[in-house]
Amino acid sequence: MRFKPFLAAAALVFGAVGAVGGAVAQGAGRPAPAAPASSLIDLNSASRDDLMSLDGIGEVRANAIIRARPFRAKTELVERRLIPESLYEKISDKVMARPVPGQPAQPPARPGQPAPPKRS
């Protein structure tokens, strides 16, 4: 009869060790993978509250981001000086800039290269 409690205790111990060991082996020395696209916050359509859920984004910055829409790329947050680069590094894996419907898709201009001439 004493054998059943021993088995139950052993199962709990080995289960806990296995769960912890797997979590340590899985995340050992690697950064967390990027969030799936469905959980990313879209800079072009997110509400003020959604933007404020990001670390370092308060009411003032959230309002500034909304006023600066639309964004072609999330890097424009730094290029337009809406947030500092150090903050961008913290939130870049949590945001995206989905193209606005009806707007032509243009790749963002690379810094240091002249913009293509406009046709009239």
Side-chain angles (χ1 to χ4, degrees):
M1 294 281 179
R2 297 180 85 184
F3 190 65
K4 286 183 182 179
F6 175 75
L7 283 177
L12 283 173
V13 169
F14 287 121
V17 169
V20 170
V24 169
Q26 186 179 23
R30 284 185 272 162
S38 62
S39 66
L40 294 176
I41 295 176
D42 182 10
L43 296 172
N44 288 323
S45 63
S47 69
R48 185 174 67 136
D49 291 336
D50 289 340
L51 293 169
M52 289 173 56
S53 71
L54 297 165
D55 289 336
I57 304 293
E59 187 174 345
V60 172
R61 283 193 173 135
N63 287 336
I65 291 169
I66 291 170
R67 283 192 309 270
R69 289 175 177 167
F71 295 96
R72 291 188 313 252
K74 62 184 180 180
T75 55
E76 290 184 36
L77 290 172
V78 175
E79 293 166 5
R80 296 186 192 183
R81 298 176 188 233
L82 297 169
I83 64 171
E85 192 167 344
S86 60
L87 178 56
Y88 175 77
E89 290 171 4
K90 292 179 185 177
I91 67 167
S92 65
D93 61 338
K94 298 175 182 87
V95 298
M96 67 179 200
R98 184 173 291 154
V100 178
Q103 295 249 336
Q106 297 176 351
R110 293 184 190 160
Q113 291 194 0
K118 292 185 178 182
R119 295 182 183 178
S120 46

